[in-house]
Amino acid sequence: MNADRPLLEVNALKKHFPIHGGLLGQVTAKVYAVDGVTFDIRRGETLSLVGESGCGKSTVGKAILRLFSLTEGEVYLDGERIDNMRAGKLRMMRKRVQVVFQDPFSSLNPRMRVRDILAEPLVNFGMVHGRRDLNEKVEALMDKVRLPRDAINRFPHEFSGGQRQRIGIARALAPGADLIICDEAVSALDVSVKAQIINLLADLQDELGLALLFISHDLATVEHLTHRVAVMYLGKIVELTDRRTLFAESHHPYTRALLSAVPVPDPTARRQRVILKGDVPSPINPPTGCRFHTRCPFVFDRCRVEEPLLRPVGDGHLSACHLNQVPGGQVLPTAA
Ligand code: SF4
C-alpha cells in the first residue's frame, strides 16, 4: 500500500470504439466514448461520475475494470499500473476492484442460491479454509448488508429489488475489495429503497474504508453520498469539485443545467429550471471547440472553435469553460 498516492489514479483515459463497414469490414468511423479523462480517488472517498446517458461514464468504469483495453491513457491502483497488467496479476487486481451493476437480477445467476453466489468469489480467490470457515464468512457477509442469515438458501427471485442489490453489494465485498464501482447501482430502485441502499453504502464505507466510484445520471442521487463529483459531457469531464461547492457554487453551464433539475426539499424555495435545447450530439462526430456549444445558453464565437481546458477555478475545483477566463464571467447570468 502506498499511503501517499490516491488509491485509484486515472490519467488521460481515452476509449474510442471503431465502427466497421464496407465490403472489407474496414474501420469507417469511431465512437469517441471517452476522450481524455483524468481523476483520482482516495481511500475512504466517494467520487461520483455524473452525466446524461451516453456521456461515457459507464465506459470509464468498464475501462478501469479492464473489460476492454484502453485506446490511450493510464490507470494506477495503489501506485501500480493496471491498464497493461498481464492475466496473472490482473486476477489480483480484480480481487481489489469490484462492481455493482444497475440490474442485480441479471447480474445474479437465477439458478444459484445466495449461499453459493457469495461463496463463489470467496472460493475463487482462495479466501476460505474449510466448510465451516466458508459458512462463517458467508453469514458475516449477510450481516454486513443487513440481510437475515436464514435467507442464504433462497434464490435471487425470492428477494425484492433492494434485497437483490444488497446481495450484489455482499458479493462485491466478498473478496475484500478496496474500491467498488457502483454503475447506476440504485437507479432502478424506488425512492425509499434507494435511500436505504445509499445509507448502507455510506455505513460500509465508514466501517471498511472503502473507496467508491459512483456512476449515476442523476445529481440528486449522489448529493447525500458523495465527497466529490466529476460531471461528464460527451466523453470529457467538464467540472470536478467537492460536493458542497458543486451544489452551491458550480461554474459550468452544463452542471448548472443538471442542478436546475434537482428537486429542492423546501417547497417554498424556487429554482429556475434550465431547459437545454436539442439532444446530446453523437459521440461519432462530436462538435468542434467546446463539445457543449450546440446546447449552451451562453455560447459565444470562441466556444465554436477552441476547446476549453479543464482549469482550476478554486481550491480543488476544476472547470472547462471559456467563461472562466472572462473577468466576472464565472458568475453566470441566469439562463433565459
Ligand atoms: Fe458554454 Fe462556451 Fe463555456 Fe462551452 S465554453 S460551456 S459553450 S460558454
Side-chain angles (χ1 to χ4, degrees):
M1 180 168 126
N2 187 336
D4 296 334
R5 290 183 71 160
L7 177 68
L8 179 79
E9 295 164 87
V10 174
N11 296 333
L13 188 157
K14 291 187 181 181
K15 181 63 193 176
H16 302 162
F17 294 100
I19 298 175
H20 299 272
L23 286 175
L24 301 174
Q26 67 269 37
V27 175
T28 52
K30 286 181 182 171
V31 178
Y32 296 90
V34 179
D35 214 10
V37 159
T38 297
F39 63 87
D40 58 39
I41 309 180
R42 300 207 159 264
R43 287 168 190 76
E45 183 187 38
T46 300
L47 177 86
S48 296
L49 265 186
V50 177
E52 287 163 291
S53 173
C55 71
K57 55 193 187 302
S58 289
T59 305
V60 171
K62 289 178 179 138
I64 294 166
L65 289 160
R66 281 286 304 273
L67 299 184
F68 39 62
S69 57
L70 309 188
T71 304
E72 271 179 44
E74 298 164 351
V75 181
Y76 292 86
L77 182 71
D78 227 352
E80 190 172 9
R81 194 165 169 186
I82 60 171
D83 58 277
N84 58 1
M85 252 178 190
R86 290 172 187 274
K89 287 191 93 179
L90 203 56
R91 196 174 140 74
M92 292 317 290
M93 182 282 278
R94 295 220 158 103
K95 183 170 182 284
R96 300 184 62 188
V97 183
Q98 290 284 308
V99 62
V100 178
F101 290 109
Q102 175 176 359
D103 180 3
F105 201 51
S106 63
S107 64
L108 300 174
N109 186 333
R111 286 188 286 275
M112 286 172 77
R113 295 179 192 277
V114 172
R115 172 199 298 278
D116 300 322
I117 289 170
L118 299 183
E120 194 174 48
L122 292 168
V123 173
N124 285 349
F125 287 112
M127 302 184 66
V128 285
H129 309 284
R131 177 147 291 277
R132 187 171 166 183
D133 186 37
L134 177 62
N135 288 341
E136 285 174 4
K137 287 196 163 119
V138 167
E139 287 179 353
L141 286 167
M142 295 290 278
D143 294 346
K144 274 206 164 42
V145 297
R146 297 169 203 156
L147 284 174
R149 288 183 175 198
D150 58 12
I152 56 173
N153 287 318
R154 291 198 219 149
F155 292 95
H157 72 268
E158 296 178 79
F159 292 87
S160 67
Q163 287 173 324
R164 281 198 287 269
Q165 203 54 298
R166 286 172 192 264
I167 298 167
I169 293 168
R171 186 178 56 179
L173 293 175
D178 299 313
L179 169 68
I180 297 184
I181 298 175
C182 301
D183 190 356
E184 299 280 9
V186 296
S187 302
L189 305 174
D190 67 36
V191 176
S192 64
V193 180
K194 190 182 281 192
Q196 289 168 19
I197 297 295
I198 286 174
N199 288 340
L200 173 67
L201 285 168
D203 290 350
L204 290 170
Q205 182 169 57
D206 285 348
E207 185 185 334
L208 306 170
L210 288 173
L212 300 175
L213 175 59
F214 202 87
I215 296 169
S216 175
H217 66 279
D218 179 14
L219 269 173
T221 298
V222 307
E223 187 173 3
H224 302 291
L225 170 79
T226 200
H227 296 104
R228 289 187 298 146
V229 183
V231 178
M232 279 188 76
Y233 186 80
L234 261 190
K236 290 183 179 282
I237 291 178
V238 296
E239 186 157 21
L240 195 162
T241 187
D242 63 84
R243 174 183 55 184
R244 192 209 64 79
T245 305
L246 189 105
F247 282 90
E249 302 163 33
S250 63
H251 276 227
H252 199 281
Y254 180 60
T255 311
R256 290 282 189 98
L258 291 183
L259 279 170
S260 76
V262 174
V264 186
D266 177 359
T268 61
R270 289 183 149 244
R271 179 181 279 163
Q272 188 163 6
R273 182 80 195 268
V274 180
I275 307 287
L276 292 176
K277 56 186 178 186
D279 296 324
V280 182
S282 167
I284 298 173
N285 189 18
T288 56
C290 174
R291 290 188 176 191
F292 186 53
H293 86 247
T294 55
R295 303 172 78 201
C296 180
F298 309 107
V299 60
F300 54 105
D301 288 349
R302 186 180 170 192
C303 308
R304 298 185 180 91
V305 291
E306 187 184 332
E307 182 179 342
L309 301 177
L310 198 57
R311 296 176 196 270
V313 290
D315 190 16
H317 184 177
L318 303 171
S319 173
C321 174
H322 292 313
L323 281 175
N324 297 328
Q325 291 162 276
V326 177
Q330 66 272 35
V331 182
L332 293 176
T334 305

